Amino acid sequence: MEVIIKNDATTLSAYAARLIRELIRRKPDATLGLATGGTPLLLYRELIRLHREEGLDFSFVSTFNLDEYLGLAPDHPASYHQYMRENFFNHVNVPPANIHIPSGQIQGDEIPEYCRRYEEEIQRAGGIDLQILGIGSDGHIGFNEPSSALTSRTRIKTLSPRTRQDNAPFFAGPGEVPHHVITMGVGTIMEAHHIVLLAFGEKKARAVAETVEGPISALCPSTILQMHPNATLLIDEPAAGKLQRSEYYRWVFDHKPGWQRVL
Ligand code: PGA
């Protein structure tokens, strides 16, 4: 696990964008795993800039989003379909046929088969080369809430009261946040070749400290990233505030061999 601590979210988002740019240069038909929420907004803005100003070409790229609220139509203002169009897809050239976001409109007993097919499509695309993640204040990744099986696959989950509260600002009122979602599983996420987790703000400090320094536990699903061979954690100062060994992580980063540097 590589822990990179920098002052601000803009620098870290630019770093994540450069990792994606290098991947696409190396592998034009790369498969990206994408996240939503407040955290990756600056990353999407930077990728759009790289597309416009440097010609970063997404025309062979495929994307798979982590999750979607069940019960929301794709044009609902708080749906992740809408979020992705507004914040990324409307501004770059990913072919619509290559975009995959779990449907929020699958119902009842259709859900398991739908989730199985989502997994199959990831496999058909060759697996995820680089997965962007945020982290919940409760340590969720995707919408894998505390007590999620650490080997879980894409499936329906029930949101915790805390996540519903965290996400209420995106809805007309707290009661409007759906209770159920479809999310890639922890096991699905762990199969990505490279995982890049972004965490900004003091509200994430506890979850970040557990992820990096706590025991691996389903009660904080992000802790499983300690088992991933290629995970990069991009953390701003407030989110790094509860790490015991932050000086050590900075020291390691400062002594990184030149040939490994993207930042
Ligand atoms: P946020 O959500 O980016 O809106 O903080 C992160 C998450 O829930 O994974």
Side-chain angles (χ1 to χ4, degrees), residues 36-40 134-136 140 142-143 167 170 204:
T36 48
T39 306
I135 184 169
H140 71 212
F143 269 139
N167 291 3
F170 301 101
K204 305 295 173 71

Side-chain angles (χ1 to χ4, degrees), residues 26-54:
R26 206 170 58 242
K27 186 177 179 190
D29 62 347
T31 301
L32 302 177
L34 298 179
T36 48
T39 306
L41 286 172
L42 289 170
L43 164 63
Y44 291 133
R45 197 188 295 170
E46 177 62 7
L47 287 173
I48 293 165
R49 191 191 69 75
L50 291 176
H51 172 66
R52 288 191 178 145
E53 294 177 15
E54 292 187 17

Side-chain angles (χ1 to χ4, degrees), residues 78-108:
S79 80
Y80 290 156
H81 281 75
Q82 182 65 17
Y83 171 106
M84 288 307 300
R85 271 194 301 273
E86 264 174 34
N87 294 302
F88 190 50
F89 292 132
N90 283 354
H91 313 284
V92 295
N93 63 337
V94 183
N98 293 4
I99 295 171
H100 306 82
I101 307 175
S103 169
Q105 299 200 289
I106 303 299
Q107 289 180 359

Side-chain angles (χ1 to χ4, degrees), residues 15-233:
Y15 184 77
R18 255 173 278 166
L19 291 173
I20 291 176
R21 180 186 66 189
E22 295 315 305
L23 169 65
I24 294 174
R25 283 191 180 156
R26 206 170 58 242
K27 186 177 179 190
D29 62 347
T31 301
L32 302 177
L34 298 179
T36 48
T39 306
L41 286 172
L42 289 170
L43 164 63
Y44 291 133
R45 197 188 295 170
E46 177 62 7
L47 287 173
I48 293 165
R49 191 191 69 75
L50 291 176
H51 172 66
R52 288 191 178 145
E53 294 177 15
E54 292 187 17
L56 182 61
D57 182 15
F58 293 89
S59 60
F60 297 103
V61 166
S62 296
T63 66
F64 287 85
N65 266 77
L66 284 166
D67 43 26
E68 178 59 290
Y69 295 105
L70 276 171
L72 298 194
D75 59 354
H76 187 288
S79 80
Y80 290 156
H81 281 75
Q82 182 65 17
Y83 171 106
M84 288 307 300
R85 271 194 301 273
E86 264 174 34
N87 294 302
F88 190 50
F89 292 132
N90 283 354
H91 313 284
V92 295
N93 63 337
V94 183
N98 293 4
I99 295 171
H100 306 82
I101 307 175
S103 169
Q105 299 200 289
I106 303 299
Q107 289 180 359
D109 59 6
E110 295 169 359
I111 293 173
E113 173 61 14
Y114 177 83
C115 293
R116 201 188 53 73
R117 275 192 279 118
Y118 199 70
E119 293 270 341
E120 257 177 29
E121 283 180 64
I122 295 173
Q123 293 306 322
R124 210 172 306 133
I128 291 172
D129 293 297
L130 187 151
Q131 174 69 56
I132 295 294
L133 289 182
I135 184 169
S137 61
D138 61 0
H140 71 212
I141 48 176
F143 269 139
N144 294 284
E145 298 285 38
S147 82
S148 288
L150 298 178
T151 51
S152 50
R153 313 303 307 189
T154 303
R155 71 213 182 292
I156 181 172
K157 282 299 286 181
T158 302
L159 293 180
S160 68
R162 184 158 164 193
T163 297
R164 291 187 71 241
Q165 190 184 322
D166 285 348
N167 291 3
F170 301 101
F171 289 82
E176 301 289 307
V177 183
H179 283 274
H180 297 114
V181 295
I182 288 185
T183 181
M184 277 188 206
V186 181
T188 321
I189 292 169
M190 285 292 284
E191 282 173 11
H193 179 69
H194 185 186
I195 292 180
V196 178
L197 181 144
L198 299 159
F200 306 143
E202 198 186 344
K203 204 170 141 193
K204 305 295 173 71
R206 165 68 37 215
V208 165
E210 281 193 52
T211 304
V212 180
E213 297 172 344
I216 295 174
S217 165
L219 288 180
C220 184
S222 53
T223 56
I224 194 64
L225 297 177
Q226 293 175 26
M227 298 291 288
H228 195 281
N230 192 12
T232 306
L233 274 58

